[in-house]
């Protein structure tokens, strides 16, 4: 939400030639209007921001803020504290790079400077300022490119001010690095879910997250997409893939995230041969119509309501994967302490064709008599079915609904009407 620099401003699709109408990348923070503790004047005033937070609270929502410790060449810090940056011998400043990408509109801090203590204090003051404004959730941009001891100190200092503040580590990097960030204090972490697509990959990854010491400190957040990443599965799968990946993310993990209207409306235009958005709203203002057949907002609303109601989806590690005869179908139980609140999720991993097969339900673990009928209630569409025994038939057509979220009921009410799989 901060002012955006003019120097080396990026145009559409990260072009080095920006037109007068291009807003620039919001990660190029700082201009004559201010820096990290300022609001872009076109977005409004601090009073407007306070009103936004208040209205969000009235809808049981919280505002999260992106924290990116970097600057545009126009940031006031460059004049006020040139010692916080790296300068070349010719007097020019070193801009950011992540080969092969170059970010001429962004300059990094020099954390090895002799003034690093003062820099740390200033960065802490940025977070503390926004906490004072009512922000309690921070998505931290690329924390693995900054000193870990700085983060450990900063998070501990902010927790002294307000222990309810949440820090999300936006780090797609090596596993040990991601885990170390969690160990030093990050409350949630990006995960590799984004690239786990097959039944085998998903099962293996979930056990990797659970069956060791990771649950003691690593809380994964499952993102099907990000501002930077449009996975191939979404590029080619269309609306069914967006629904399927959303349901998997929001039922496998207690924490999930989706990036923006591009996900709500299944937008999947990509740069050729790359997992990146074409015409990304990182570099231009977008106006997206909600009146489209690709709109999945109703599914997201329904699933969020289910997550709010059923505690089984408020925990990550309470899963049991069920055997399926068809590897295009994945099925898992999410257990609850309430016997009538166990959930069975079944998803079609094929976004093109209907898939069918038998699913084996662990009735003994659910205290269900295999000789008696029991009901499964699809919370996504309201359908109810009577099942008997361990193995039952599933068919999922991605063009209609790529997944079921079943509540498994121990009691059969005779007055209810049910549908049956044939």
């Amino acid at each position: 939400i901060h002012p955006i620099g003019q120097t080396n401003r990026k145009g559409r699709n990260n072009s080095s030639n920006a037109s007068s109408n291009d807003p620039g990348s919001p990660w190029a923070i700082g201009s004559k209007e201010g820096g990290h503790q300022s609001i872009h004047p076109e977005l409004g005033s601090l009073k407007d921001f306070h009103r936004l937070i208040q209205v969000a609270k009235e809808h049981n929502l919280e505002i999260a803020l992106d924290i990116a410790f970097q600057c545009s060449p126009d940031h006031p810090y460059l004049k006020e504290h040139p010692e916080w940056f790296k300068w070349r011998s010719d007097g020019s400043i070193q801009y950011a790079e992540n080969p092969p990408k170059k970010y001429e509109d962004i300059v990094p801090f020099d954390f090895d400077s002799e003034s690093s203590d003062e820099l740390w204090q200033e960065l802490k003051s940025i977070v503390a300022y926004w906490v004072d404004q009512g922000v309690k959730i921070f998505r931290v941009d690329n924390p693995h490119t900054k000193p870990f001891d700085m983060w450990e100190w900063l998070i501990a200092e902010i927790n002294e001010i307000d222990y309810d503040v949440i820090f999300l580590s936006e780090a797609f990097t090596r596993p040990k690095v991601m885990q170390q960030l969690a160990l030093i204090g990050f409350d949630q972490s990006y995960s590799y879910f984004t690239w786990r697509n097959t039944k085998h990959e998903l099962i293996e990854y979930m056990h990797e997250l659970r069956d060791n010491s990771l649950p003691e400190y690593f809380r994964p957040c499952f993102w099907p997409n990000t501002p930077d990443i449009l996975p191939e599965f979404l590029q080619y799968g269309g609306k069914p893939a967006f629904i399927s990946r959303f349901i998997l993310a929001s039922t496998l993990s207690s924490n999930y995230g989706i990036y923006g209207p591009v996900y709500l409306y299944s937008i999947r235009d990509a740069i050729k041969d790359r997992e990146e958005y074409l015409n990304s709203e990182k570099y231009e203002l977008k106006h997206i119509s909600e009146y489209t057949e690709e709109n999945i907002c109703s599914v997201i609303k329904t699933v969020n309501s289910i997550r709010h109601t059923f505690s089984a989806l408020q925990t990550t590690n309470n899963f049991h994967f069920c055997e399926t005869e068809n590897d295009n179908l994945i099925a898992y139980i999410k257990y609850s302490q309430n016997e009538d609140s166990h959930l069975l999720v079944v998803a079609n991993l094929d976004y093109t064709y209907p898939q069918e097969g038998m699913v084996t339900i662990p009735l003994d673990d659910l205290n269900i008599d295999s000789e008696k009928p029991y009901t499964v209630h699809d919370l996504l569409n309201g359908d109810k079915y009577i099942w008997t025994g361990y193995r039952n038939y599933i068919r999922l057509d991605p063009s209609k609904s790529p997944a079921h979220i079943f509540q498994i009921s121990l009691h059969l009410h005779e007055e209810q009407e049910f549908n049956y799989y044939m």
Side-chain angles (χ1 to χ4, degrees):
I1 64 171
H2 312 303
I4 299 171
Q6 288 284 348
T7 300
N8 299 328
R9 173 172 284 193
K10 292 300 182 77
R12 298 190 176 198
N13 289 310
N14 202 25
S15 167
S16 57
N17 298 314
S19 73
S20 59
N21 295 323
D22 288 330
S25 167
W27 282 274
I29 298 170
S31 71
K32 63 182 181 181
E33 284 86 11
H36 285 74
Q37 295 184 32
S38 302
I39 295 174
H40 196 301
E42 292 185 26
L43 294 177
S45 66
L46 185 61
K47 182 179 179 180
D48 296 323
F49 184 72
H50 289 158
R51 180 175 176 272
L52 171 65
I53 290 178
Q54 180 58 41
V55 173
K57 286 182 179 179
E58 293 170 4
H59 290 80
N60 295 317
L61 296 171
E62 293 188 53
I63 298 298
L65 188 67
D66 193 281
I67 287 290
F69 285 159
Q70 60 199 33
C71 302
S72 90
D74 304 323
H75 198 295
Y77 284 156
L78 273 78
K79 290 183 178 180
E80 298 169 359
H81 296 282
E83 70 276 11
W84 290 350
F85 303 91
K86 289 184 178 180
W87 300 86
R88 299 187 180 94
S89 57
D90 63 0
S92 63
I93 193 167
Q94 178 178 312
Y95 57 75
E97 292 188 71
N98 184 15
K101 295 181 180 179
K102 296 182 179 181
Y103 302 98
E104 297 91 344
D105 57 335
I106 292 172
V107 294
F109 288 112
D110 180 8
F111 287 96
D112 295 324
S113 76
E114 295 181 357
S115 302
S116 60
D117 289 346
E118 291 83 359
L119 174 59
W120 284 25
Q121 290 291 341
E122 179 65 17
L123 299 180
K124 170 192 166 183
S125 75
I126 293 171
V127 180
Y129 173 81
W130 291 108
V131 172
D132 286 343
Q133 308 314 313
V135 178
K136 298 295 185 72
I137 304 170
F138 296 94
R139 176 245 190 214
V140 180
D141 188 73
N142 283 330
H144 56 294
T145 62
K146 319 296 188 298
F148 282 26
D149 53 347
M150 184 273 292
W151 288 123
E152 186 172 18
W153 169 82
L154 186 150
I155 292 172
E157 289 284 303
I158 296 299
N159 284 338
E160 287 291 324
I161 299 172
D162 191 326
Y163 198 75
D164 287 334
V165 176
I166 293 173
F167 291 90
L168 167 63
S169 168
E170 185 267 331
F172 283 126
T173 183
R174 299 182 303 278
K176 288 186 177 179
V177 175
M178 294 169 66
Q179 293 164 22
Q180 185 63 28
L181 287 165
L183 277 169
I184 64 174
F186 279 91
D187 303 282
Q188 295 184 23
S189 305
Y190 269 38
S191 70
Y192 298 132
F193 167 79
T194 312
W195 298 280
R196 299 299 187 263
N197 296 314
T198 68
K199 175 182 173 182
H200 171 75
E201 289 170 344
L202 288 165
I203 292 175
E204 182 181 57
Y205 187 54
M206 291 301 297
H207 281 289
E208 178 184 327
L209 291 173
R210 184 184 70 179
D211 299 342
N212 48 47
S213 62
L214 280 182
E216 297 176 12
Y217 60 90
F218 189 86
R219 286 167 288 278
C221 193
F222 282 11
W223 290 71
N225 75 326
T226 76
D228 307 299
I229 301 167
L230 174 61
E232 287 188 359
F233 192 91
L234 297 180
Q235 291 183 31
Y236 301 111
K239 183 178 179 179
F242 278 76
I243 295 175
S244 175
R245 292 298 290 176
F246 167 74
I247 290 175
L248 289 170
S250 59
T251 58
L252 283 170
S253 175
S254 57
N255 306 309
Y256 82 88
I258 52 175
Y259 170 61
V262 291
Y263 203 92
L264 302 181
Y265 305 119
S266 308
I267 294 173
R268 54 192 181 276
D269 297 326
I271 297 174
K272 185 178 180 181
D273 299 326
R274 291 165 67 177
E275 288 190 321
E276 293 184 49
Y277 283 95
L278 180 66
N279 302 321
S280 168
E281 62 178 7
K282 290 196 297 182
Y283 308 105
E284 62 180 277
L285 301 178
K286 306 286 286 189
H287 300 277
I288 301 172
S289 173
E290 62 181 302
Y291 301 106
T292 168
E293 293 181 358
E294 303 294 286
N295 185 325
I296 66 168
C297 294
S298 62
V299 176
I300 293 173
K301 179 180 179 180
T302 299
V303 173
N304 281 341
S305 178
I306 297 169
R307 282 169 51 90
H308 181 75
T309 303
F310 289 86
S311 61
L313 298 182
Q314 297 165 17
T315 303
T316 298
N317 299 316
N318 57 334
F319 62 84
H320 170 86
F321 284 99
C322 304
E323 179 184 343
T324 61
E325 294 178 337
N326 182 344
D327 282 344
N328 285 305
L329 295 176
I330 189 169
Y332 45 93
I333 298 288
K334 295 286 284 190
Y335 291 109
S336 171
Q337 293 182 347
N338 185 338
E339 286 190 343
D340 277 347
S341 296
H342 302 308
L343 300 182
L344 168 65
V345 181
V346 187
N348 182 353
L349 302 178
D350 180 354
Y351 50 71
T352 304
Y353 299 106
Q355 297 291 338
E356 58 188 68
M358 303 298 289
V359 175
T360 301
I361 313 299
L363 297 182
D364 298 338
D365 293 343
L366 301 172
N367 295 319
I368 296 177
D369 189 336
S370 62
E371 301 297 324
K372 296 181 179 179
Y374 55 97
T375 65
V376 290
H377 175 197
D378 191 346
L379 302 173
L380 290 174
N381 59 22
D383 290 344
K384 297 182 176 71
Y385 307 91
I386 301 175
W387 283 359
T388 303
Y390 296 96
R391 300 173 74 250
N392 288 274
Y393 174 77
I394 292 287
R395 184 180 189 275
L396 283 167
D397 184 343
S399 67
K400 298 178 180 177
S401 178
H404 294 299
I405 301 178
F406 286 129
Q407 180 185 7
I408 303 173
S409 176
L410 306 180
H411 305 291
L412 180 64
H413 301 284
E414 294 181 356
E415 69 274 11
Q416 294 179 324
E417 295 182 359
F418 300 100
N419 296 325
Y420 291 81
Y421 278 126
M422 302 301 292

